Structure formats: C-alpha cells, structure tokens
Amino acid sequence: SEGPYTVGMVDSLTGSLSAFGERNQRGKDLALETVNEVGIGGRDLEVLVEDSGSENQGGVSAAQKLVNQNGVPFLIGSVGSGVSLAIYESVVKGTDVVQLSQNSTGLGLTDFPGLLRMSPTGRTQSTALSNIISEDGYDEVAVTYVNNDYGQSLADAFVDAWDGSIAYNQSHDQDQQSYAGVVSEMNSSSADAWLFVTYQAEFATMVNEIYSSGYEAQLYGADSVSGDDVLENTPEGSMEGMKIVVPAAPAAQESYKQ
C-alpha cells in the first residue's frame, strides 16, 4: 500500500472534557513526531481526529465516521467512560476494529475485554484516595460524584475501600449553574474531609460556592478535577492544601519529561 497508515481518534475537542482533549492532542502530536521519524514499513502514520463533544451520541457518530467511512482498523477513544462504552457497544463490538481508550477509568469498562484502555481503572484512584485521607487522620468523609458511569463507579470503589464512615454520598448532574445545595449538605454532614469525583467546570463552580459561603474543609479530588480551567476560574487560595490523585508515567521517563 502507498500513502500513510491511518488510524482514528475520538477525542473531546469540545464539551465538559475538552481540557483533557487538548492534552490528548498535544500527546498525539508528540507521538506522531516520534513515530514518523522511523515510519511504518516506509509509510507515515496518520491519525484522523473526530470530536465527541464529550457526549455519548457525539462519540458514536464520530466513531461511525472513522470506522465506516474512513475504514480505520484502530480507534483511539474516548475520554469519558460512558462515551467509550457507547462507542464500543454501538460501533466496535463484533468488528475487527481495535479500540483503545486514552483516558477512561470507569470500572464498567473491565466487563468488556475487547475494550482496551491505557489509564488504570478507577479502583486504583479510589484506593489511593482512601489511603491518603486515612493517613491524613480523617475517619469521616463527605463524597459527591458526577452522575455517570465514571463518577458512580469511582465513588462506589471509594466506599468499598474506605474503612471509616461516609457522612454524605450523593451524585450531582453536569452543567448546572449552581451546586450550592450540594456544598451546603456536605458542610452540614459534619465531615471535615470532602471528596469530589467530578469534572473541572462543575468543580470550579463548587469551589466558588464553598469559598463564598465561608465553608472550611480538607478537599480531595480524583484526577478529573485537575486542570487550568479550575485554577483560572476560582479565587486564589480557595483550594489551599487540597490533594488529588493523578495517574502518570514514571517521572524519570523521557516521554513524561517531554
């Protein structure tokens, strides 16, 4: 064959997970540069990227275009666990296409051996969070999580790993203008440690409401609350002392340094 060897990628270029999508595109560009210095049997590697909009249906539509129209044999995608599952069940399952998620951590993916992923399962994060909060001396925690496969599965895994008491454990919907009710109930729970398993935009709104209400607690978070969008849209000092867990390659690894 002539021309580039083409694979597909469904990424969150827009929507609630776009901060992860931007990082993924930078990683993809680094990888392509390295691979194409060597080539694949004398051919370049090309990655066709389609936007999921961070939504299930958008992800399915993007995957259908890449698989059915572009004929890619390998599909990178997607960011959100629910989106990855929707793509697998609607587009990839029963075909020869290989799907590999670049970000999804939801525990439900484990039930589908044909759906591969790079990130460790959310159980790893939840266990780490449980250990950190316990080591910090807390025996009671308030938990809120985004109402989807990712949030529910990580929260459930945390509850399984946690030996202390759960003073509050409730979901919240995405894209709400206010989460004042959530943070008020967490404050009323009597727990001094608060855990957030949600996305950057939702968490930034919560932080602003915690700060403006004068609530004080030790904050913890899953990897999905980490990013520039949170830092740029919250008051300075409003998250001082917060701890999050983020899966990463070994810090000494050359690709990580880049």
Side-chain angles (χ1 to χ4, degrees):
S1 300
E2 297 180 356
Y5 186 87
T6 304
V7 300
M9 181 178 191
V10 178
D11 203 7
S12 289
L13 304 182
T14 59
S16 60
L17 301 176
S18 59
F20 292 95
E22 292 171 6
R23 299 181 203 175
N24 290 336
Q25 291 306 303
R26 293 197 295 271
K28 178 260 297 177
D29 291 342
L30 274 173
L32 275 176
E33 182 180 342
T34 302
V35 170
N36 287 331
E37 286 177 358
V38 179
I40 302 174
R43 301 160 63 187
D44 283 343
L45 175 65
E46 178 184 48
V47 181
L48 299 180
V49 181
E50 294 290 336
D51 182 19
S52 69
S54 304
E55 299 287 346
N56 288 10
Q57 187 52 55
V60 169
S61 298
Q64 286 173 334
K65 180 179 184 300
L66 290 166
V67 171
N68 299 331
Q69 295 182 33
N70 300 115
V72 299
F74 185 89
L75 184 67
I76 304 168
S78 184
V79 179
S81 299
V83 182
S84 292
L85 285 167
I87 290 171
Y88 180 76
E89 294 195 281
S90 299
V91 183
V92 173
K93 189 177 181 179
T95 73
D96 292 330
V97 176
V98 177
Q99 181 185 356
L100 171 67
S101 171
Q102 66 272 46
N103 295 106
S104 297
T105 57
L107 273 66
L109 274 71
T110 306
D111 297 330
F112 300 89
L115 173 47
L116 311 178
R117 61 171 157 201
M118 291 181 63
S119 296
T121 170
R123 191 174 302 281
T124 307
Q125 285 195 50
S126 298
T127 302
L129 283 163
S130 174
N131 292 339
I132 291 168
I133 297 172
S134 178
E135 289 166 2
D136 284 348
Y138 296 101
D139 56 13
E140 189 175 38
V141 64
V143 182
T144 187
Y145 56 92
V146 63
N147 189 20
N148 60 21
D149 180 79
Y150 163 75
Q152 178 76 64
S153 61
L154 262 72
D156 288 347
F158 175 81
V159 171
D160 288 343
W162 178 248
D163 289 332
S165 61
I166 305 290
Y168 177 85
N169 184 20
Q170 295 293 328
S171 66
H172 57 266
D173 292 329
Q174 287 181 248
D175 302 320
Q176 301 299 298
Q177 294 296 314
S178 172
Y179 293 98
V182 173
V183 297
S184 175
E185 289 175 359
M186 293 178 82
N187 185 63
S188 299
S189 73
S190 77
D192 293 323
W194 297 4
L195 172 60
F196 299 85
V197 183
T198 188
Y199 301 131
Q200 291 186 48
E202 289 74 12
F203 181 61
T205 300
M206 293 178 188
V207 169
N208 277 285
E209 290 171 336
I210 292 169
Y211 186 78
S212 63
S213 299
Y215 299 149
E216 294 184 2
Q218 172 62 48
L219 307 184
Y220 298 90
D223 64 333
S224 54
V225 305
S226 170
D228 293 343
D229 286 357
V230 175
L231 296 174
E232 292 168 0
N233 293 292
T234 54
E236 184 176 352
S238 57
M239 297 174 290
E240 188 167 354
M242 182 178 182
K243 295 183 179 182
I244 60 172
V245 292
V246 180
Q253 191 166 298
E254 188 59 32
S255 61
Y256 182 87
K257 292 179 182 179
Q258 291 181 338

